[in-house]
Amino acid sequence: MTLSFLGAFLVMSFLILARSLREAFYLTAFDVRTLPYITAAIAVLSVPTVGLFGRALAKYSPQQVLTAVLIVLAVGLAVLWPFATATADRTDVKIAIVVFYLWTALGTLLFTSGFWVITSEYFAVRGAKRLFGLIGAGGTAGAMVTGNVLIWLTRAVDLGWLIPGLIAIIALFTITQRLLPRLEVTPGSEAERSTLSDSVATAWGSPHLRTIALIVFSVGIATTLLDYQFKELAQASFDTRAGLTSFFGAFYGWTGAIALVLQLMVVGRLLAVAGVGWALVVLPLTLAFGSVGMLLVPSLLLVTAVRGADASLRKSLYRSALEVLYVPVPSLLRRKTKTFIDSVVDSVSEGLGAGIIFLWVTLSGFPSRHLSVFIIACCFVLMYLSRRMGQQYFSTVTEQLQVSGAGEEATAAAALHLEGRDLLSGTFTRIDIKSILMHDESGGTSQQTEDESISPQLSGTEAILARLRSSDISVVARTLEETGDWDESHYPDLARLLARDVLFDRAVLAFLTAGEPAVPHLLRLLRDENTDFVIRRRIPRVLARMGGAEADDALQDALTANRFEVRYRAAIALLRRRRRGLPRGSRDEEPRIWEAIRSEVGRGQPVWEMQQLLDEEPDDEALVSQRIGVRGELSLEHTFRLLSLILEPEVVRSAFHGIILDDDKLKSFSLEYLEQVLPPDIRRRLWPFIGDVSEHQREKSLRPLGEVVSDLIVTGATLFEDVKDQAALKKILEEQEDD
């Protein structure tokens, strides 16, 4: 990040110095009305230049390509240097000034784009949103420093002697890039290697990249028109080369200072809170209001303020948001299209803007302030595209999350990291073991005797009940298998058998055979907090396969039960019902599930980490095939399972993988997806559990130990119930916090 900060500083230093020099050289040698010609020339020349640059990026490492470009750029500047110190009256000097303008303009395009291509390779989406603002602050600092130093340099030395400064900046930048880890690229097939036509087709075929291109295009036109208004009034006010260079240097210096403040204090927070869509809206809103003023009262002061706001926002908020938009794009696709969009699309937009200027001002003779009408129109288009980009960005993140979470690499990572779970064999709960594990291992003779001991005088129902209550498991099992007519008198005994592992499946089958008449009894047991816990926690597995809307409602109510395992099993049951197409609840389920999620994430971290299962059962609704043994994983899995009930299940599953697996890229997509879909209060509570908070935020989330102990007792997560045991638990937690 530090090297990227320095790189951005040097890139913008080069850009400001080169732009100030070429504009000063050009405007003192040519009339401002000729600017559309050279702008159009840049647009035309950028097409083959970017085509070659894109092909090189697809074949070689971005660092190698950018280094080669910078060497060529530096050599060209060295050749043009002698002409910069000569008088502008000579024809060869005027030609050199035009070449210098084109050379630095095209070189800056590749320099800037190449830098951000390299930078985006090192950061995932999450890191990009957090750090691109700071890296961009390096660029605005470079613009501010260089712009202000130019004020002094123009008074101390001839402008031609500043060209070696451009070469020195290139050399320093190359050194910073050599210190970065190498980025390698495996050469693809000829079809994968970038050509200009391929870049055009790829960018236009992707909704995400197409929207980015349209945003860049609209901004380019608006800025070109505004920049012409700005330079026209500046040329009318300053008639010397030094005066223009000093003015432009001061302008870029002050706008750089403003951009730096925005980068450090606004950009990161706005991107995190409002998202890229709203962040992009700020620039067109500002330009629209300023352009209305230019229509009414045009002046150098006003146009400088509007152009300054444009420059400051483009260097800070707009640039950071735009670069974040590229991060979810796959690496190869980004290399093939980013330079094309940043350079060719931007140059073409400037060329179109130059065409508008030529037709409106140069050819027709209309006043330049009327160009504000075109700027305002571009601003409305930009606002629409920015809002659409916010939606498209979320779709791209979601798509990449699914691809990353379901791809072969993610599957291999899951196999590697989801091994060896040290699952506790039971919850910290008091259970009447004897009443659960009634297992008679006696032989066939004693079983037969037990069966025969049941009085033949008993009626059919009474005989069935007697056999169901038998201590001989084989008798109970045979009764469950042979009886096909169950009534309400049998339901309590069938429910009791749900607690016996060896009879559980047969008891479930008996309830399924009984059908709908058995559902009300199961619902009463599920809703009663005093029901034997072992029975209650297994009822959702029965209701996952039977019952109508009332059963679904009861399972949703169970999502807020006191006991974790009841909540856990209820969520699994609801997912299974959805898969089987069973009737949904009669009430609106979405707010109820969101409330259940709020309840889960609102628990203290010790409660979150200590919630466990009595035993593990085969679960075809598991979010992972095996568990990895991290504390609080069951709580996290349960929360994500609840999310899958109201969001896209496959995306939620991929997001869960991203959180628990050691894959920064996948986790970054997961966090970005969650930030987009979760309500703010849930996101704020969930973040400490998934590790995406600062140390200060983590400390603020800590709760008094007394509250934590009380929660552990209420939720039934521990054995500690008396005062002495609670004191021991508190001591354990204190020692854990110290560690």
Side-chain angles (χ1 to χ4, degrees):
M1 193 283 295
T2 303
L3 290 170
S4 297
F5 179 92
L6 293 173
F9 182 95
L10 294 170
V11 168
M12 288 303 296
S13 296
F14 182 91
L15 185 150
I16 296 302
L17 181 55
R19 178 181 290 173
S20 298
L21 287 176
R22 70 171 178 257
E23 289 174 353
F25 289 159
Y26 189 86
L27 292 177
T28 53
F30 301 95
D31 189 274
V32 68
R33 287 177 294 181
T34 62
L35 271 177
Y37 298 110
I38 199 164
T39 305
I42 293 171
V44 172
L45 291 174
S46 67
V47 174
T49 303
V50 171
L52 292 173
F53 188 66
R55 287 180 65 86
L57 284 176
K59 188 175 182 181
Y60 304 104
S61 166
Q63 290 167 318
Q64 294 175 327
V65 175
L66 185 57
T67 299
V69 167
L70 294 180
I71 291 173
V72 174
L73 179 60
V75 170
L77 291 173
V79 172
L80 292 169
W81 178 26
F83 296 94
T85 57
T87 176
D89 295 335
R90 290 163 39 188
T91 302
D92 60 337
V93 173
K94 287 188 175 183
I95 294 174
I97 288 173
V98 173
V99 173
F100 179 81
Y101 199 112
L102 297 173
W103 190 258
T104 54
L106 294 172
T108 301
L109 285 175
L110 301 185
F111 195 177
T112 306
S113 182
F115 166 75
W116 283 108
V117 166
I118 292 172
T119 302
S120 61
E121 297 282 343
Y122 289 108
F123 299 95
V125 172
R126 202 71 188 164
K129 286 187 71 176
R130 286 181 171 178
L131 298 177
F132 274 17
L134 185 56
I135 293 171
T140 51
M144 180 184 65
V145 171
T146 305
N148 285 301
V149 168
L150 269 176
I151 301 173
W152 172 78
L153 285 175
T154 53
R155 299 169 186 163
V157 299
D158 184 78
L159 295 184
W161 290 95
L162 296 180
I163 293 180
L166 293 173
I167 299 174
I169 291 173
I170 292 174
L172 290 174
F173 178 84
T174 303
I175 293 173
T176 64
Q177 294 302 294
R178 298 292 295 179
L179 296 175
L180 286 167
R182 301 300 298 171
L183 291 173
E184 301 297 336
V185 58
T186 303
S189 64
E190 287 299 323
E192 291 175 326
R193 294 179 185 174
S194 180
T195 62
L196 186 61
S197 59
D198 185 39
S199 297
V200 174
T202 303
W204 192 255
S206 164
H208 184 89
L209 292 171
R210 182 169 65 245
T211 307
I212 293 178
L214 291 173
I215 289 173
V216 171
F217 187 77
S218 302
V219 170
I221 294 175
T223 299
T224 300
L225 300 179
L226 179 61
D227 192 56
Y228 180 85
Q229 294 176 323
F230 171 62
K231 289 175 181 175
E232 182 186 50
L233 290 172
Q235 187 186 49
S237 302
F238 302 94
D239 55 2
T240 65
R241 178 184 290 186
L244 278 170
T245 304
S246 178
F247 172 74
F248 287 134
F251 171 79
Y252 293 128
W254 279 105
T255 56
I258 295 171
L260 180 61
V261 173
L262 292 175
Q263 291 278 23
L264 296 176
M265 302 185 66
V266 176
V267 173
R269 295 178 182 177
L270 187 61
L271 283 174
V273 174
V276 289
W278 284 109
L280 289 169
V281 168
V282 175
L283 178 62
L285 277 176
T286 304
L287 292 184
F289 283 114
S291 296
V292 171
M294 279 297 296
L295 275 174
L296 301 176
V297 283
S299 66
L300 178 62
L301 178 62
L302 179 59
V303 76
T304 301
V306 179
R307 181 69 177 93
D310 170 62
S312 299
L313 289 171
R314 287 190 71 182
K315 293 172 188 172
S316 56
L317 186 59
Y318 170 77
R319 171 53 64 183
S320 297
L322 195 65
E323 296 303 332
V324 168
L325 293 177
Y326 282 110
V327 178
V329 179
S331 178
L332 180 59
L333 183 60
R334 181 168 58 243
R335 294 180 185 180
K336 291 172 66 175
T337 57
K338 186 180 189 305
T339 306
F340 165 75
I341 294 174
D342 287 351
S343 302
V344 175
V345 173
D346 189 59
S347 296
V348 169
S349 68
E350 291 180 356
L352 181 58
I356 294 173
I357 295 169
F358 176 79
L359 293 174
W360 190 263
V361 180
T362 306
L363 191 62
S364 302
F366 292 117
S368 63
R369 68 190 182 101
H370 290 168
L371 295 174
S372 296
V373 174
F374 296 97
I375 298 174
I376 293 170
C378 289
C379 290
F380 280 109
V381 173
L382 268 172
M383 284 186 273
Y384 166 75
L385 292 173
S386 298
R387 296 306 305 136
R388 193 173 81 176
M389 187 72 253
Q391 301 169 354
Q392 187 59 55
Y393 174 76
F394 171 69
S395 299
T396 302
V397 169
T398 303
E399 179 183 341
Q400 289 304 307
L401 174 60
Q402 288 180 279
V403 171
S404 301
E408 293 182 4
E409 292 184 2
T411 303
L416 178 64
H417 292 284
L418 298 181
E419 294 178 357
R421 183 187 186 213
D422 184 19
L423 177 68
L424 294 178
S425 59
T427 52
F428 299 125
T429 310
R430 288 185 174 169
I431 308 167
D432 184 1
I433 301 296
K434 293 182 180 179
S435 66
I436 301 172
L437 304 177
M438 297 167 57
H439 189 81
D440 186 353
E441 297 183 357
S442 55
T445 304
S446 61
Q447 293 173 5
Q448 183 179 8
T449 304
E450 176 73 22
D451 194 14
E452 292 174 350
S453 66
I454 298 175
S455 173
Q457 303 297 325
L458 295 176
S459 63
T461 298
E462 293 174 339
I464 292 174
L465 291 175
R467 291 186 175 89
L468 291 177
R469 295 166 185 170
S470 171
S471 60
D472 190 326
I473 288 180
S474 63
V475 172
V476 180
R478 193 161 50 251
T479 304
L480 291 171
E481 291 174 354
E482 294 175 353
T483 305
D485 186 16
W486 303 101
D487 58 44
E488 61 182 12
S489 63
H490 303 136
Y491 301 155
D493 289 284
L494 290 177
R496 180 178 57 81
L497 296 178
L498 293 175
R500 303 176 70 175
D501 292 341
V502 294
L503 298 173
F504 174 77
D505 290 334
R506 293 183 177 90
V508 171
L509 184 59
F511 273 117
L512 293 176
T513 303
E516 289 298 321
V519 172
H521 180 77
L522 293 172
L523 299 187
R524 284 194 298 272
L525 294 177
L526 179 62
R527 287 177 168 139
D528 186 359
E529 295 281 354
N530 295 318
T531 299
D532 185 293
F533 168 61
V534 182
I535 296 174
R536 188 173 178 230
R537 73 183 179 85
R538 290 187 169 182
I539 289 176
R541 294 184 64 186
V542 184
L543 296 178
R545 301 170 62 182
M546 65 185 298
E550 189 178 359
D552 204 83
D553 283 329
L555 287 170
Q556 292 182 40
D557 291 338
L559 296 177
T560 55
N562 285 342
R563 302 301 294 266
F564 170 71
E565 194 162 351
V566 174
R567 304 194 302 271
Y568 185 91
R569 300 298 177 193
I572 293 175
L574 285 169
L575 275 179
R576 290 176 175 171
R577 289 180 64 88
R578 302 293 179 269
R579 188 187 63 192
R580 293 186 173 104
L582 294 178
R584 297 191 176 221
S586 58
R587 292 170 284 174
D588 188 2
E589 69 174 22
E590 189 165 328
R592 299 167 70 189
I593 294 175
W594 279 122
E595 190 56 38
I597 295 171
R598 286 185 173 88
S599 177
E600 292 298 329
V601 299
R603 303 177 190 278
Q605 190 159 351
V607 177
W608 177 277
E609 293 180 350
M610 293 184 73
Q611 292 182 142
Q612 299 289 344
L613 303 178
L614 179 63
D615 55 23
E616 273 206 298
E617 301 165 352
D619 181 10
D620 55 358
E621 302 297 343
L623 294 178
V624 290
S625 57
Q626 300 180 47
R627 305 197 184 283
I628 60 176
V630 297
R631 292 188 301 177
E633 185 194 353
L634 281 174
S635 299
L636 188 65
E637 180 183 339
H638 174 59
T639 301
F640 273 77
R641 184 174 286 112
L642 292 174
L643 288 172
S644 69
L645 287 168
I646 46 181
L647 301 174
E648 296 180 59
E650 291 305 316
V651 183
V652 172
R653 183 187 296 271
S654 296
F656 180 69
H657 288 172
I659 297 301
I660 65 173
L661 296 180
D662 187 18
D663 184 329
D664 290 339
K665 181 179 179 181
L666 182 56
K667 184 173 184 179
S668 182
F669 283 130
S670 300
L671 292 171
E672 191 68 10
Y673 168 77
L674 293 172
E675 188 171 78
Q676 300 284 332
V677 299
L678 295 181
D681 60 322
I682 293 178
R683 182 175 67 243
R684 186 174 57 254
R685 293 177 182 178
L686 179 63
W687 255 221
F689 298 126
I690 58 182
D692 195 50
V693 294
S694 66
E695 183 63 22
H696 174 68
Q697 292 171 311
R698 190 192 70 82
E699 290 178 358
K700 285 179 62 177
S701 68
L702 295 179
R703 301 165 60 207
L705 283 176
E707 290 185 16
V708 173
V709 172
S710 298
D711 276 359
L712 289 171
I713 302 304
V714 170
T715 58
T718 76
L719 289 166
F720 307 111
E721 293 185 359
D722 58 37
V723 176
K724 182 178 179 181
D725 288 339
Q726 291 179 27
L729 175 61
K730 185 174 181 180
K731 182 178 179 181
I732 292 172
L733 294 174
E734 287 174 340
E735 292 174 351
Q736 185 183 70
E737 183 65 24
D738 291 339
D739 292 339

